[in-house]
Amino acid sequence: MKTNYLFPSKYKKGGLAILIPALTLSIVFIFSGYQPDFLDLKVPTIYSKELFGRQHIFSLIQNNILDEVLCVTIIVSLLLIAFSKEKAEDEFISKIRLESLVWATYVNYAVLLISILFIFDWSFFWVIVINMFTLLFIFIIRFNYYIAKLNKSANHEE
């Protein structure tokens, strides 16, 4: 089966190697509030509004880019893990991949809807931040669960 939209299978290990340190640093950043000074840079912005401050449109602002670097790194690594081919990619694995993506989308948006109804203020902000990653996490977990289940049943048949 031709799957031009998938990365080569070796990218999955690279994605995992990037994800683990990025998640670790993110957790440290969230709980400690640490932001290294060397990441304080002038960056372009399309739109930024300071809390009780100025509004910036298409300009340069001073910002610590640690959170942006970590978010981009986590998203790229999750994409590499989620959308790398399996060593033996066939129609059944493609079916599992599609079903897992649809299922993950349903679960992700169900969690978001519940959060919209029952979580407020800054807690909701953190739900939205975490929600950026949950679709891919849920997909990866479900897809790999069903691949492991498939491999286990194939081993029992032999």
Side-chain angles (χ1 to χ4, degrees), residues 7-20:
F7 299 111
S9 63
K10 63 184 175 186
Y11 284 35
K12 187 177 282 196
K13 288 181 183 171
L16 196 55
I18 296 168
L19 178 64
I20 293 169

Side-chain angles (χ1 to χ4, degrees), residues 26-99:
S26 295
I27 291 167
V28 168
F29 163 68
I30 287 169
F31 288 109
S32 72
Y34 174 70
Q35 294 186 333
D37 292 337
F38 72 91
L39 291 176
D40 284 333
L41 302 171
K42 281 209 175 267
V43 293
T45 182
I46 295 172
Y47 179 79
S48 176
K49 177 147 178 32
E50 299 168 5
L51 189 62
F52 307 117
R54 294 178 3 161
Q55 171 176 296
H56 304 275
I57 300 173
F58 293 107
S59 61
L60 290 175
I61 61 168
Q62 189 72 25
N63 186 42
N64 188 290
I65 63 166
L66 178 64
D67 51 343
E68 286 84 0
V69 169
L70 290 173
C71 284
V72 168
T73 304
I74 290 170
I75 289 170
V76 168
S77 64
L78 286 172
L79 286 170
L80 291 174
I81 294 167
F83 298 112
S84 292
K85 290 180 188 174
E86 293 299 305
K87 286 188 169 81
E89 188 80 26
D90 60 12
E91 286 84 8
F92 190 65
I93 290 177
S94 292
K95 180 180 181 290
I96 293 171
R97 186 181 303 279
L98 176 63
E99 288 174 355

